[in-house]
Amino acid sequence: MRTANVAVPLSGQFGPWRTASKGHRIDVRVVVMGCGRVGTSLANGLARIGHDVAIIDRDPTAFHRLSPDFPGERVLGMGFDRDVLLRAGIEEAGAFAAVSSGDNSNIISARLARETFGVERVVARIYDPKRAAVYERLGIPTVATVPWTTDRLLNVLLREGETTKWRDPSGHVGVAEVALHQEWIGHRVSELEAGTGARVAFIIRFGAGLLPDSKTIIQAGDQVYVASISGHIAEALAIAALPPSEDIEER
């Protein structure tokens, strides 16, 4: 019986991708193996923040879970098959996530991505609770829900450190501090919310808490905390770390 799952980083240090210029991330190719709930959420989230995504599954109907406007590639086949990985563009990939329903498939494909193709960032989802206990002792976090798993995987692939500062008891809602790009200074809170899809919960300004409204202007030195549904937190943080787009429309 599967009672837990863990996100297991397999390729060492997972820092942010290098930037071409200050505040501008280089978008990279990411290959996701498994188009279940976690794989779908992960692929959709990565694509929404501008990464080039290919997702692999052996079941053609699994791709129906993807967002209708998902711009990435759908690759039919087994994710631990070398030829399938090549069709998914593994040789150009900067990251690989193995999130199928099988522990063995995930481990084999993740090792193949790292050891054969030299992918810089590799992460695998493991269900076995006995293995999970071992990974916990090694400092690898155990996650228990699909949305939380998605946040952890995005966090490993996109940035370092813990994603959220607080979660409600159900794990459905999380609060996190955002590392805002400096170009957000002078913008209204409502613009940040429209751009990230998250709610600004509160701001720490000059050491004091502030409950903002839609007209509150973001100032230099503000510590901004956002609330979002689990599964979208890491995506919101990644968007906030980029300059605001010119066509932000307030919701």
Side-chain angles (χ1 to χ4, degrees):
M1 180 176 180
R2 292 173 177 172
T3 58
N5 54 69
V6 296
V8 185
L10 296 176
S11 62
Q13 190 68 23
F14 289 85
W17 281 307
R18 292 185 299 272
T19 54
S21 59
K22 188 174 182 180
H24 294 273
R25 184 195 62 232
I26 298 174
D27 296 330
V28 301
R29 185 165 189 82
V30 182
V31 177
V32 178
M33 187 195 85
C35 197
R37 289 182 295 168
V38 171
T40 298
S41 180
L42 186 62
N44 285 334
L46 287 165
R48 278 194 295 268
I49 57 179
H51 292 295
D52 181 21
V53 183
I55 186 164
I56 302 169
D57 204 282
R58 62 182 180 180
D59 179 5
T61 64
F63 300 124
H64 297 162
R65 298 187 180 100
L66 292 165
S67 170
D69 57 357
F70 175 70
E73 296 178 39
R74 301 160 177 82
V75 181
L76 187 64
M78 303 295 291
F80 51 82
D81 185 305
R82 179 187 175 93
D83 292 335
V84 172
L85 288 170
L86 287 170
R87 283 195 285 118
I90 193 69
E91 291 179 306
E92 294 79 39
F96 176 81
V99 292
S100 76
S101 60
D103 281 4
N104 291 336
S105 296
N106 289 342
I107 289 295
I108 292 170
S109 63
R111 293 189 62 183
L112 189 61
R114 183 191 64 182
E115 298 171 9
T116 301
F117 295 104
V119 178
E120 183 180 358
R121 296 171 180 82
V122 178
V123 62
R125 186 185 185 202
I126 306 299
Y127 295 87
D128 188 336
K130 293 182 180 178
R131 295 182 187 177
V134 175
Y135 297 137
E136 286 282 358
R137 288 196 293 272
L138 295 174
I140 298 170
T142 300
V143 292
T145 66
V146 170
W148 198 344
T149 301
T150 304
D151 275 338
R152 290 293 183 102
L153 290 168
L154 277 169
N155 187 45
V156 167
L157 292 172
L158 298 179
R159 56 186 294 152
E160 295 182 58
E162 178 64 34
T163 301
T164 55
K165 300 293 185 183
W166 176 87
R167 286 183 187 274
D168 77 297
S170 72
H172 188 59
V173 176
V175 175
E177 181 180 3
V178 296
L180 289 175
H181 189 279
Q182 61 182 4
E183 291 185 19
W184 283 104
I185 296 171
H187 284 263
R188 286 182 290 181
V189 162
S190 57
E191 294 177 291
L192 179 62
E193 292 179 335
T196 61
R199 181 77 57 84
V200 176
F202 62 94
I203 295 173
I204 303 296
R205 180 175 293 170
F206 303 123
L210 168 69
L211 293 178
D213 58 31
S214 61
K215 296 180 181 180
T216 299
I217 303 297
I218 297 170
Q219 298 182 12
D222 281 353
Q223 293 175 255
V224 179
Y225 290 79
V226 299
S228 183
I229 300 299
S230 292
H232 296 285
I233 297 171
E235 179 186 344
L237 300 189
I239 293 172
L242 298 174
S245 62
E246 296 179 358
D247 59 347
I248 289 177
E249 296 181 2
E250 294 185 25
R251 294 179 177 178

